[in-house]
Amino acid sequence: MRAIVMFVVWACAIIWVAFAVQGVFAYLTLDPTGSGFTRGSNRIAAFLRWEGLALGAALVGFVIGGGLAKGDISRFAARWPLYLSGGFFALLITLFLGAVIIARIA
């Protein structure tokens, strides 16, 4: 059973890396569409879509690898993708809410 858990954790970690890299690659290579203020929002949407999928893979790895022993490298592979992706989205949400609050006050 432990081997299956480790396999799933490492598979989720690899998928997380692939999705995160694909998000950056999609942002850098897509041609911006639209006009005016919304020009290029397709690039941001593609980036956030891939990063959201990476967050999902990180969450699955975190849940599956929750019972691994301390000090095990697989436990590290189960936790850090969620910490990085979750922190990224928490930062985005915080910045968005801060911008809304500042816009309301000003």
Side-chain angles (χ1 to χ4, degrees), residues 1-60:
M1 187 67 169
R2 185 178 182 327
I4 294 171
V5 169
M6 288 179 57
F7 175 77
V8 171
V9 164
W10 283 105
C12 286
I14 291 169
I15 291 169
W16 172 77
V17 168
F19 284 168
V21 168
Q22 178 60 29
V24 172
F25 185 72
Y27 179 78
L28 293 176
T29 59
L30 277 175
D31 291 329
T33 60
S35 62
F37 180 73
T38 62
R39 181 164 175 81
S41 62
N42 66 317
R43 297 168 66 184
I44 296 170
F47 173 74
L48 291 176
R49 184 178 314 116
W50 283 109
E51 293 302 319
L53 290 171
L55 179 63
L59 185 62
V60 169

Side-chain angles (χ1 to χ4, degrees), residues 66-100:
L68 292 172
K70 280 190 175 181
D72 191 4
I73 191 73
S74 296
R75 183 176 170 138
F76 180 81
R79 294 182 182 268
W80 277 97
L82 182 66
Y83 294 160
L84 292 173
S85 286
F88 172 71
F89 277 101
L91 178 66
L92 281 180
I93 291 168
T94 303
L95 290 174
F96 177 75
L97 291 176
V100 168

